[in-house]
C-alpha cells in the first residue's frame, strides 16, 4: 500500500467498492473542512443510491464464499490487518489527528484501542464458542452454533474514527458477513485507509466496501435496501429512530449505539481532588465528543462549593488546541459548534442557568477552527432541555443533591442510560449505586467513559436498543444462532 500521510490528502476521498477506490457515479463531491483551521482540507465523494447499489451488489455476490471460508482463516486475515495497522500506527494516527482535529497523542491512543480490538476479535476465530446441550429425545444430540447474518450496513459517527470503524468491521467480518460501511462525512480518509489495509491483508474484494457522503444520501439507501440483512449504527438518537423504524419494517436486525447524558456523582466522602480530576477528563477529553462523556455532575450539597472550586480551577487550566501538550481540540464541524453555543445561550437566557466557565467560541491566531471553550453551568433544573439532551461537546452542568437516594433518582430520571459514575470512599455506597443504576456501564471512582475490547458497551432507554459491542457480546450482533439436532439409531451400529 502506498503511504498515505495526512499532509498529502487526495483531492477527493473516494468510495471503496469491490476492492477499488471509485468516484461517485454522478461524479459529485462535498467539501471536508479541517476542524482546527476551518479551511477546506479535501473533498469527499458524494455517494447516492447508485453507489450504494454497487456496493451491495458486490457484497451479495461475495458473501457466500466469504462465509464458506474457514473462520480461522478469516481471523488470520483480520490479524494480519491488525499487524499492518500496528506497524503503521504513526501514519494512521496522523490521518485521524488531522481529519478529526485532535492532538496526535489522543489519536495514537485511539489507534492503540483499535489494534487491541483487532487482536481480540481475531482471537475469537479460535474460540467462537457454541453450546452443547441435552435432548429429551433418546439418541439425539443437540448443539448450537453461530452462522453469519448476511450483508451488514455499518453506519458510524466521527468522534473516534478508527475505533468506530474497528468496533463494527472486525466482528462483522469475523462472523462471515460482507459489510458496507458509511463512514461519517467528517472522517472519510481514516475509513478508506482501513479498507485498503484489509485488502492488503488478504480480504477478498467486495467483502468490505465503503460508501462516503451524507447520511440522508449515502446512509439511508443502505437502511432501506432489502438486501441488507443487518444495520449496525453508532450515532444520534434521531437517526437511530429512523433506522429502527425503516429497517424494522422489513424485519432486518438493527443494532443501535446511541447517545448519553452521563452522570458522575460526587459523594461527601469522596477524595475531592481525585474526583475533580476524573470529572474534568470525563467532561472535556476529546472535546466532550464521547457518547460516554460526563455531562451531569451531581454533587452532595455539603461538599458542593468545595468541589466546584477545585473543579473550576482544574477546568480553567485546560489547554485548548491540537499540540501534544493540549487537553482538548476543536469540535468536528461548524454545525455542531453553532448548535452547542445556541443551546448554552438558551439554557442561560430561557432556563435560568448560570455560566461558570466558557459558553463561547475560542477564536484567535492559533484557534481558527471550531473551538468551543470548556463550559460549565449550574442552577439548571434537572428537567431543563440541556439536562435531558446531549450536546456532544465540552459542556457540563453541576447539580446539588441531598444524598445518595436523590442522586440515584436523578441518575435514573433521564432519557438516556449509557454510563454512570460515582466517587465515594464507601464500598457500601458504591455497591448500592452499581446495583440500582439503570445504565449499561457503571464506573466506581473513575471516569464516565472508558471501554475495553473484551467488555460489552451499550446502554438502556434512548442510549440503544439492547445490543452490546464489543466483547464476545458483539458476536451476538453479527451472527445468528443455529440449533442442530442429530439423531442416531443404535440398531444400525
Ligand atoms: P449522526 O446520527 O448525525 O450521524 C452518525 C452517522 O449517521 C453519520 O455517518 C451520518 O452521515 C449518518 N446519518 C445521518 N443521517 C442518516 C440517515 N438519515 N440515514 C442513515 N445514516 C445517516 O451523529 P453524530 O452527531 O455525527 O454523532 C454523534 C452521536 O453519536 C452522539 O449522539 C453520540 O452519543 C453518538 N455516539 C454513540 C456511541 C456509542 O457507542 N453509544 C459512540 C460514539 C458516538
Amino acid at each position: 500500500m502506498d503511504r498515505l500521510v495526512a499532509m498529502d490528502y487526495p483531492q477527493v476521498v473516494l468510495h471503496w467498492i469491490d476492492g477499488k477506490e471509485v468516484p461517485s457515479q454522478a461524479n459529485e463531491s462535498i467539501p471536508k473542512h479541517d476542524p482546527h483551521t476551518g479551511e477546506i482540507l479535501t473533498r469527499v465523494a458524494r455517494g447516492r443510491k447508485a453507489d450504494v447499489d454497487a456496493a451491495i451488489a458486490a457484497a451479495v455476490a461475495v458473501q457466500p464464499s466469504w462465509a464458506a471460508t474457514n473462520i480461522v482463516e478469516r481471523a488470520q486475515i483480520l490479524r494480519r490487518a491488525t499487524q499492518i495497522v500496528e506497524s503503521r500506527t504513526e501514519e494512521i494516527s496522523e490521518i485521524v489527528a488531522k481529519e478529526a482535529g485532535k492532538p496526535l497523542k489522543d489519536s495514537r491512543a485511539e489507534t492503540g484501542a483499535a489494534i487491541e480490538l483487532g487482536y481480540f476479535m481475531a482471537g475469537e476465530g479460535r474460540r467462537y464458542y457454541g453450546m452443547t446441550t441435552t435432548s429429551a429425545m433418546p439418541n439425539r444430540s443437540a448443539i448450537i452454533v453461530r452462522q453469519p447474518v448476511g450483508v451488514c450496513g455499518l453506519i458510524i459517527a466521527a468522534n473516534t474514527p478508527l475505533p468506530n470503524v474497528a468496533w463494527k468491521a472486525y466482528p462483522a467480518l469475523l462472523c462471515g458477513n460482507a459489510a458496507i460501511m458509511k463512514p461519517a462525512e467528517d472522517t472519510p480518509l481514516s475509513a478508506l485507509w482501513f479498507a485498503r489495509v484489509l485488502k492488503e491483508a488478504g480480504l477478498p474484494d467486495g467483502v468490505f466496501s465503503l460508501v462516503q457522503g451524507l447520511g440522508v444520501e449515502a446512509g439511508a439507501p443502505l437502511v432501506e435496501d432489502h438486501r441488507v440483512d443487518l444495520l449496525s449504527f453508532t450515532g444520534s438518537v434521531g437517526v437511530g429512530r429512523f433506522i429502527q423504524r425503516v429497517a424494522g419494517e422489513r424485519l432486518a436486525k438493527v443494532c443501535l449505539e446511541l447517545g448519553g447524558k452521563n452522570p458522575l456523582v460526587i459523594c461527601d466522602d469522596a477524595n475531592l481532588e481525585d474526583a475533580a480530576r476524573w470529572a474534568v477528563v470525563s467532561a472535556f477529553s476529546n472535546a466532550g465528543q464521547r457518547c460516554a462523556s460526563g455531562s451531569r455532575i451531581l454533587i452532595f450539597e455539603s461538599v458542593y462549593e468545595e468541589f466546584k472550586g477545585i473543579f473550576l480551577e482544574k477546568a480553567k487550566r485546560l489547554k485548548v488546541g491540537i499540540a501534544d501538550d493540549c487537553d482538548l481540540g476543536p469540535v468536528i464541524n461548524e454545525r455542531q459548534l453553532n448548535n452547542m453555543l445556541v443551546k448554552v445561550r438558551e439554557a442561560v437566557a430561557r432556563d435560568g442557568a448560570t455560566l461558570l466557565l466558557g459558553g463561547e467560541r475560542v477564536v484567535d491566531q492559533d484557534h481558527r477552527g471550531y473551538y468551543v471553550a470548556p463550559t460549565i453551568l449550574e442552577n439548571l433544573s434537572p428537567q431543563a432541555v440541556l439536562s435531558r439532551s446531549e450536546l456532544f461537546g465540552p459542556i457540563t452542568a453541576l447539580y446539588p443533591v441531598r444524598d445518595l437516594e436523590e442522586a440515584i433518582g436523578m441518575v435514573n430520571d433521564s432519557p438516556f442510560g449509557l454510563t454512570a459514575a460515582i466517587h465515594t470512599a464507601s464500598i457500601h455506597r458504591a455497591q448500592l449505586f452499581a446495583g440500582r443504576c439503570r445504565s449499561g456501564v457503571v464506573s466506581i471512582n473513575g471516569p464516565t467513559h472508558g471501554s475495553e475490547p473484551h467488555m460489552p458497551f451499550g446502554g438502556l432507554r434512548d442510549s440503544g436498543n439492547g445490543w452490546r459491542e464489543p466483547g464476545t457480546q458483539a458476536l451476538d450482533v453479527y451472527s445468528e444462532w443455529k440449533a442442530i439436532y442429530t439423531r442416531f439409531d443404535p440398531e444400525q451400529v
Side-chain angles (χ1 to χ4, degrees):
M1 188 172 88
D2 302 334
R3 189 174 150 83
L4 193 58
V5 293
M7 298 311 143
D8 309 330
Y9 256 70
Q11 276 192 332
V12 182
V13 182
L14 299 177
H15 308 301
W16 179 265
I17 297 176
D18 206 7
K20 291 182 283 301
E21 284 181 54
V22 291
S24 291
Q25 294 194 17
N27 219 0
E28 294 172 300
S29 63
I30 48 173
K32 149 72 192 147
H33 293 82
D34 179 337
H36 171 59
T37 62
E39 287 160 9
I40 292 183
L41 180 61
T42 181
R43 298 188 68 83
V44 188
R46 183 170 189 166
R48 294 186 188 268
K49 188 171 181 318
D51 306 291
V52 174
D53 272 348
I56 296 176
V60 167
V62 75
Q63 193 270 330
S65 65
W66 177 242
T69 305
N70 185 302
I71 185 165
V72 175
E73 205 179 308
R74 297 200 300 258
Q76 276 164 353
I77 292 173
L78 298 179
R79 186 167 54 237
R80 268 201 299 280
T82 311
Q83 287 165 336
I84 296 170
V85 176
E86 192 169 26
S87 69
R88 297 186 191 157
T89 291
E90 277 310 289
E91 181 185 336
I92 182 59
S93 303
E94 279 176 29
I95 289 171
V96 168
K98 187 74 179 163
E99 73 176 0
K102 52 179 83 191
L104 194 53
K105 69 173 188 315
D106 291 0
S107 62
R108 269 193 209 111
E110 290 174 15
T111 303
I115 290 166
E116 286 305 316
L117 194 274
Y119 284 131
F120 173 76
M121 278 299 162
E124 283 307 300
R126 287 198 181 268
R127 289 181 291 265
Y128 213 57
Y129 297 125
M131 277 180 244
T132 309
T133 185
T134 55
S135 170
M137 187 183 283
N139 305 324
R140 188 163 86 149
S141 75
I143 64 168
I144 307 166
V145 300
R146 292 183 186 276
Q147 59 186 323
V149 182
V151 173
C152 303
L154 312 176
I155 304 177
I156 55 170
N159 58 331
T160 53
L162 199 64
N164 288 5
V165 171
W167 272 35
K168 295 196 189 298
Y170 277 114
L173 300 178
L174 177 80
C175 291
N177 304 291
I180 299 119
M181 179 168 275
K182 211 304 272 169
E185 47 271 45
D186 290 303
T187 51
L189 189 55
S190 40
L192 179 62
W193 185 92
F194 186 76
R196 295 171 70 184
V197 165
L198 286 174
K199 177 162 176 143
E200 188 176 334
L203 191 76
D205 291 350
V207 175
F208 183 77
S209 291
L210 296 175
V211 182
Q212 313 275 11
L214 301 171
V216 284
E217 295 173 355
L222 263 182
V223 178
E224 288 155 358
D225 197 298
H226 70 280
R227 293 168 294 175
V228 178
D229 303 288
L230 159 71
L231 269 305
S232 179
F233 172 73
T234 296
S236 61
V237 178
V239 176
R241 283 192 210 287
F242 161 77
I243 293 174
Q244 179 84 64
R245 194 173 63 247
V246 174
E249 178 63 29
R250 64 184 157 84
L251 304 181
K253 197 170 179 181
V254 178
C255 163
L256 302 176
E257 299 286 351
L258 308 176
K261 194 76 194 176
N262 309 284
L264 188 142
V265 176
I266 315 290
C267 298
D268 52 3
D269 59 352
N271 175 333
L272 295 187
E273 258 308 306
D274 202 43
R277 186 167 60 84
W278 285 117
V280 165
V281 174
S282 299
F284 303 121
S285 63
N286 204 29
Q289 297 171 115
R290 295 184 190 282
C291 50
S293 82
S295 44
R296 294 190 291 152
I297 303 183
L298 318 183
I299 309 149
F300 277 34
E301 282 166 357
S302 55
V303 293
Y304 185 90
E305 289 301 328
E306 191 185 352
F307 176 83
K308 182 170 108 178
I310 303 171
F311 182 59
L312 265 170
E313 207 39 56
K314 289 189 188 303
K316 281 179 189 160
R317 286 206 302 266
L318 289 174
K319 198 165 168 199
V320 174
I322 54 164
D324 263 353
D325 63 343
C326 293
D327 301 290
L328 65 151
V331 299
I332 194 72
N333 60 38
E334 192 159 27
R335 181 177 51 81
Q336 296 275 13
L337 170 121
N338 289 334
N339 177 49
M340 285 170 210
L341 297 179
V342 166
K343 292 284 162 46
V344 170
R345 260 182 243 129
E346 283 174 0
V348 173
R350 185 192 58 209
D351 298 332
T354 308
L355 197 54
L356 296 174
L357 188 68
E360 76 227 338
R361 186 172 185 169
V362 180
V363 202
D364 58 34
Q365 192 55 22
D366 300 324
H367 305 90
R368 286 172 294 130
Y370 313 128
Y371 282 94
V372 178
T375 298
I376 305 174
L377 297 151
E378 68 173 352
N379 293 329
L380 197 58
S381 144
Q383 300 310 319
V385 174
L386 209 143
S387 299
R388 303 183 72 79
S389 53
E390 189 190 34
L391 281 187
F392 216 56
I395 295 154
T396 194
L398 310 184
Y399 305 82
V401 289
R402 273 186 316 280
D403 52 21
L404 190 59
E405 199 54 36
E406 189 183 15
I408 293 173
M410 276 174 67
V411 164
N412 290 337
D413 180 18
S414 169
F416 296 101
L418 193 54
T419 78
I422 187 168
H423 282 255
T424 175
S426 162
I427 190 168
H428 311 290
R429 280 177 166 170
Q431 287 298 316
L432 187 84
F433 181 83
R436 287 184 51 201
C437 271
R438 299 277 299 141
S439 62
V441 179
V442 172
S443 163
I444 296 164
N445 292 332
T448 50
H449 63 270
S451 57
E452 298 198 39
H454 58 296
M455 293 287 280
F457 184 85
L460 281 59
R461 301 188 289 284
D462 286 358
S463 294
N465 64 346
W467 295 104
R468 295 290 180 270
E469 295 174 318
T472 49
Q473 286 77 6
L475 305 178
D476 292 332
V477 174
Y478 297 101
S479 67
E480 297 278 8
W481 287 111
K482 181 191 282 178
I484 303 177
Y485 296 103
T486 309
R487 199 189 64 76
F488 64 97
D489 185 353
E491 299 299 318
Q492 295 193 37
V493 172

